[in-house]
Short mmCIF file of all heavy atoms in Angstrom, two decimals:
data_model
loop_
_atom_site.label_atom_id
_atom_site.label_comp_id
_atom_site.label_asym_id
_atom_site.label_seq_id
_atom_site.Cartn_x
_atom_site.Cartn_y
_atom_site.Cartn_z
N GLU A 58 -2.69 -24.50 6.17
CA GLU A 58 -3.94 -23.91 6.38
C GLU A 58 -3.89 -22.32 6.26
O GLU A 58 -4.82 -21.68 6.29
CB GLU A 58 -4.47 -24.33 7.70
CG GLU A 58 -3.54 -24.09 8.94
CD GLU A 58 -3.94 -24.83 10.12
OE1 GLU A 58 -5.02 -25.08 10.55
OE2 GLU A 58 -3.01 -25.50 10.74
N ILE A 62 -6.29 -19.16 -1.61
CA ILE A 62 -7.09 -18.00 -2.27
C ILE A 62 -8.48 -18.60 -2.60
O ILE A 62 -8.50 -19.59 -3.42
CB ILE A 62 -6.25 -17.52 -3.55
CG1 ILE A 62 -4.84 -17.00 -3.13
CG2 ILE A 62 -7.14 -16.42 -4.22
CD1 ILE A 62 -4.10 -16.62 -4.34
N GLY A 66 -18.62 -16.45 -0.73
CA GLY A 66 -19.80 -15.63 -0.83
C GLY A 66 -19.43 -14.33 -1.49
O GLY A 66 -18.90 -14.37 -2.61
N LEU A 93 -5.99 -5.64 -6.49
CA LEU A 93 -4.85 -6.29 -5.96
C LEU A 93 -3.83 -6.69 -6.98
O LEU A 93 -2.65 -6.52 -6.85
CB LEU A 93 -5.28 -7.44 -5.05
CG LEU A 93 -4.09 -8.18 -4.30
CD1 LEU A 93 -3.38 -7.21 -3.25
CD2 LEU A 93 -4.77 -9.41 -3.48
N LEU A 131 -10.42 -1.15 -0.17
CA LEU A 131 -11.57 -1.99 -0.26
C LEU A 131 -12.18 -2.30 1.01
O LEU A 131 -13.18 -3.21 1.17
CB LEU A 131 -11.15 -3.39 -1.01
CG LEU A 131 -10.60 -2.94 -2.43
CD1 LEU A 131 -10.22 -4.44 -3.20
CD2 LEU A 131 -11.68 -2.34 -3.31
N ALA A 159 -2.84 -3.08 15.11
CA ALA A 159 -3.73 -3.51 16.15
C ALA A 159 -3.49 -5.00 16.59
O ALA A 159 -4.11 -5.41 17.57
CB ALA A 159 -5.19 -3.32 15.66
N LEU A 160 -2.54 -5.62 16.03
CA LEU A 160 -2.38 -7.02 16.39
C LEU A 160 -1.65 -7.12 17.71
O LEU A 160 -0.73 -6.29 18.10
CB LEU A 160 -1.34 -7.67 15.44
CG LEU A 160 -1.78 -8.33 14.20
CD1 LEU A 160 -0.65 -8.94 13.40
CD2 LEU A 160 -2.86 -9.43 14.44
N PRO A 172 -13.76 -7.54 0.33
CA PRO A 172 -15.12 -7.63 -0.24
C PRO A 172 -15.16 -7.53 -1.72
O PRO A 172 -14.37 -6.88 -2.33
CB PRO A 172 -15.79 -6.31 0.41
CG PRO A 172 -14.77 -5.78 1.49
CD PRO A 172 -13.42 -6.40 1.15
N VAL A 178 -18.04 -2.95 -12.20
CA VAL A 178 -17.00 -2.39 -11.39
C VAL A 178 -15.67 -2.21 -12.17
O VAL A 178 -15.35 -2.93 -13.05
CB VAL A 178 -16.65 -3.44 -10.32
CG1 VAL A 178 -15.58 -3.15 -9.33
CG2 VAL A 178 -17.93 -3.83 -9.45
N VAL A 185 4.07 6.47 -7.86
CA VAL A 185 5.43 7.13 -8.19
C VAL A 185 6.41 6.72 -7.31
O VAL A 185 6.19 6.70 -6.01
CB VAL A 185 5.32 8.77 -8.21
CG1 VAL A 185 6.76 9.34 -8.18
CG2 VAL A 185 4.48 9.10 -9.45
N ARG A 211 -20.96 4.08 -6.93
CA ARG A 211 -20.16 3.75 -5.79
C ARG A 211 -18.69 4.06 -5.98
O ARG A 211 -18.26 3.81 -7.14
CB ARG A 211 -20.37 2.24 -5.39
CG ARG A 211 -19.72 1.82 -4.12
CD ARG A 211 -20.00 0.40 -3.83
NE ARG A 211 -19.33 -0.20 -2.60
CZ ARG A 211 -19.41 -1.39 -2.22
NH1 ARG A 211 -20.11 -2.38 -2.87
NH2 ARG A 211 -18.87 -1.76 -1.06
N THR A 227 -12.27 10.72 1.54
CA THR A 227 -13.73 10.64 1.42
C THR A 227 -14.30 11.81 0.32
O THR A 227 -15.29 11.58 -0.07
CB THR A 227 -14.33 10.89 2.70
OG1 THR A 227 -13.98 12.04 3.16
CG2 THR A 227 -14.17 9.71 3.59
N VAL A 233 -20.16 10.18 -6.60
CA VAL A 233 -21.29 9.26 -6.60
C VAL A 233 -22.63 10.03 -6.98
O VAL A 233 -22.90 11.15 -6.48
CB VAL A 233 -21.59 8.58 -5.23
CG1 VAL A 233 -22.86 7.88 -5.30
CG2 VAL A 233 -20.36 7.74 -4.95
N ASP A 257 7.62 16.52 4.78
CA ASP A 257 8.91 16.57 4.07
C ASP A 257 9.80 15.39 4.70
O ASP A 257 9.68 15.04 5.92
CB ASP A 257 9.62 17.81 4.39
CG ASP A 257 8.99 19.01 3.94
OD1 ASP A 257 8.24 18.85 3.01
OD2 ASP A 257 9.27 20.12 4.49
N LEU A 286 -16.52 0.91 -17.67
CA LEU A 286 -17.26 0.97 -18.87
C LEU A 286 -16.87 -0.20 -19.79
O LEU A 286 -17.78 -0.67 -20.50
CB LEU A 286 -16.71 2.30 -19.52
CG LEU A 286 -17.35 3.62 -18.97
CD1 LEU A 286 -16.63 4.83 -19.64
CD2 LEU A 286 -18.86 3.66 -19.12
#
Side-chain angles (χ1 to χ4, degrees):
E58 53 201 315
I62 300 174
L93 181 62
L131 299 180
L160 273 179
V178 180
V185 165
R211 187 176 179 184
T227 55
V233 173
D257 296 334
L286 287 170

